[in-house]
Amino acid sequence: MSDFFKRYALIRGEQHVQNLQYEGRIAAQIKTSRYQMKLSQQQLADLAGIPKSTIGRIEAGLTSPKVDTLLRISRALNTPFIIDGTIDNNPKIISAET
């Protein structure tokens, strides 16, 4: 953990900092997958059935997406929804089909 996050954790709490880091990983995964599929934010939004502004706010780290929104994005990107937001050799996955 960087010095900034350590100091911030003293102010806001360790759990808050961990949540911010998880959200950042999720945002990065979405953006990376979108780039790999050569999709614009608008194209991803259309596929997921959500506003383009929502995609932009998620990728910029300005909002925490609801589970329903994550599932819609997951389906649109054909990417499994990973419960804890980390990449792992044996992730616990909820199928995007459910």
Side-chain angles (χ1 to χ4, degrees):
M1 187 182 293
S2 74
D3 285 342
F4 170 79
F5 284 124
K6 287 177 185 176
R7 288 188 311 239
Y8 192 59
L10 293 173
I11 298 167
R12 291 297 310 260
E14 195 76 31
Q15 187 63 47
H16 180 75
V17 170
Q18 285 179 347
N19 288 342
L20 289 174
Q21 290 173 325
Y22 290 145
E23 290 171 10
R25 286 187 198 123
I26 291 168
Q29 288 174 355
I30 290 169
K31 192 171 189 174
T32 299
S33 293
R34 181 174 65 78
Y35 280 165
Q36 288 173 344
M37 292 180 69
K38 297 179 175 39
L39 296 173
S40 67
Q41 287 183 344
Q42 184 63 60
Q43 289 169 318
L44 176 56
D46 291 344
L47 288 171
I50 57 178
K52 175 187 175 270
S53 60
T54 300
I55 300 294
R57 287 192 321 269
I58 291 168
E59 288 185 359
L62 300 175
T63 190
S64 300
K66 295 179 181 179
V67 172
D68 179 60
T69 302
L70 287 174
L71 286 171
R72 288 170 175 251
I73 293 170
S74 170
R75 287 184 192 113
L77 293 172
N78 196 27
T79 302
F81 178 74
I82 301 172
I83 294 172
D84 66 358
T86 61
I87 297 175
D88 185 327
N89 289 339
N90 296 310
K92 295 177 182 168
I93 297 173
I94 295 176
S95 170
E97 307 301 306
T98 57

